[in-house]
Amino acid sequence: MSDRRTEILKAATRVIARRGVRGLRVGELAQEAGVSTSLIYYHFTDRAGILRSTLEFISDRADRYTAEQSPQTRPDDPRADLEQVLLLELQDAPEVRENSTAWGELRASAVFEPDLREDLARATHTWVHEIADLLARADPLGTAPAHAAAAERLTALIEGLSVRWLSGCLPLDHARRLLEGAIDAELAAG
Amino acid sequence: MSDRRTEILKAATRVIARRGVRGLRVGELAQEAGVSTSLIYYHFTDRAGILRSTLEFISDRADRYTAEQSPQTRPDDPRADLEQVLLLELQDAPEVRENSTAWGELRASAVFEPDLREDLARATHTWVHEIADLLARADPLGTAPAHAAAAERLTALIEGLSVRWLSGCLPLDHARRLLEGAIDAELAAG
DNA sequence: GTCTATAATACGATAGAC
DNA sequence: GTCTATCGTATTATAGAC
């Protein structure tokens, strides 16, 4: 799964994280991937094809990304698990930043490009579901619908905090504290 | 205040809501506004100037928009006030949709264009402060820092729910219920 | 599958008349 | 202040060799 095509998709993710979806230039992508422009057209037909494939790639990678973290959780402290998984999205590690930026771009692009919505909705749903499960473990007395709603709120909040962070409106540590406060509020209310 | 310059800014807001900030073409803006391209450069110097002025315009209009709702609030029920003002951002009225879309675009663009950040941060701060005031009235026993944090969370959540709504991931009425739930959680925890 | 070279055009920006 | 006309270049996309 690490053929030339995949290399290009990885490069495209980096370029999108750096310049945004609409800032992606095929020429710059070619340079980043270390191939010629025409090879990109050979693999993806046109610019729209590049975007479609890359956004699919980002959704898939986001799924894998959170899935890989599961082994590190502690079964004896579900609340700490929850906090850990949620705070994972607000870190200054390059990979997290790249993923968050690309994901935010994907989300913002979908407002204008209905083609992207299906993948996006599916990936979002997977994420929400995962958080709802963790909430159910941290708060066994709550109902399933309450957990689902809290999960939707917490993930939407993370997306909101994330753009504020990435757009320089909110220091990272402050964003993290706000998220912790929201977890407190959700668990206290539930 | 409805001179040619303002006409162009209104047109710019419409184009941004339709195509996104990075989808805005000076030529298309000119057509939308019914003027020549060069007139736009006369008024705004360059593309960045258009964006800067339009962001300012959108922020001001958002302020006016919420300010206009103030007379309707009831001083005897501060919690209802709070809910009303927050839910204002999640409505299917054309003007709200246009403002939300444009605002979301500016937020997303600021991730890649540092020039936009200062105005954006200021407008965000104004909004957060306004919500913190309403929270203080709805929850007189809470502390000022707690109100500030809750206001940051609630406004960030609205932005997160708003993109999900506009990107077709979340039905509007569901988004509204989630926001109501968050207000409950914040007031219960505070 | 991958490259070099190039065509076609979209786009930002300016010149200059009125 | 507003227009028409145009320039320069950045960018998408294709042709054709290997």
Side-chain angles (χ1 to χ4, degrees), chain B residues 76-105:
Chain B
D76 57 312
D77 190 350
R79 162 144 186 179
D81 273 7
L82 177 67
E83 285 208 1
Q84 192 192 346
V85 169
L86 290 175
L87 286 169
L88 215 70
E89 315 288 330
L90 294 173
Q91 286 185 128
D92 206 2
E95 195 181 336
V96 174
R97 204 183 182 107
E98 186 184 293
N99 244 312
S100 289
T101 308
W103 177 260
E105 268 297 289

Side-chain angles (χ1 to χ4, degrees), chain B residues 34-163:
Chain B
V35 300
S36 68
T37 28
S38 47
L39 184 63
I40 292 177
Y41 285 100
Y42 172 79
H43 281 299
F44 303 99
T45 309
D46 58 9
R47 196 179 172 282
I50 299 170
L51 259 34
R52 212 164 348 112
S53 303
T54 308
L55 165 59
E56 202 176 341
F57 177 75
I58 292 169
S59 314
D60 289 355
R61 207 172 68 165
D63 279 357
R64 257 207 319 279
Y65 186 71
T66 54
E68 274 167 14
Q69 303 292 332
S70 304
Q72 300 180 4
T73 60
R74 291 161 292 177
D76 57 312
D77 190 350
R79 162 144 186 179
D81 273 7
L82 177 67
E83 285 208 1
Q84 192 192 346
V85 169
L86 290 175
L87 286 169
L88 215 70
E89 315 288 330
L90 294 173
Q91 286 185 128
D92 206 2
E95 195 181 336
V96 174
R97 204 183 182 107
E98 186 184 293
N99 244 312
S100 289
T101 308
W103 177 260
E105 268 297 289
L106 289 165
R107 172 76 71 196
S109 303
V111 175
F112 307 100
E113 287 170 59
D115 288 359
L116 298 175
R117 293 182 179 184
E118 195 181 332
D119 280 347
L120 192 69
R122 193 161 30 74
T124 305
H125 184 261
T126 304
W127 185 27
V128 169
H129 205 83
E130 182 197 354
I131 301 303
D133 279 353
L134 289 174
L135 274 162
R137 280 187 208 116
D139 169 37
L141 298 179
T143 66
H147 293 142
E152 284 184 290
R153 279 193 294 267
L154 287 170
T155 54
L157 175 64
I158 286 174
E159 291 185 356
L161 292 173
S162 193
V163 237

Side-chain angles (χ1 to χ4, degrees), chain A residues 10-21:
Chain A
K10 283 183 193 166
T13 307
R14 289 195 298 276
V15 174
I16 287 177
R18 199 165 58 226
R19 305 257 186 252
V21 166

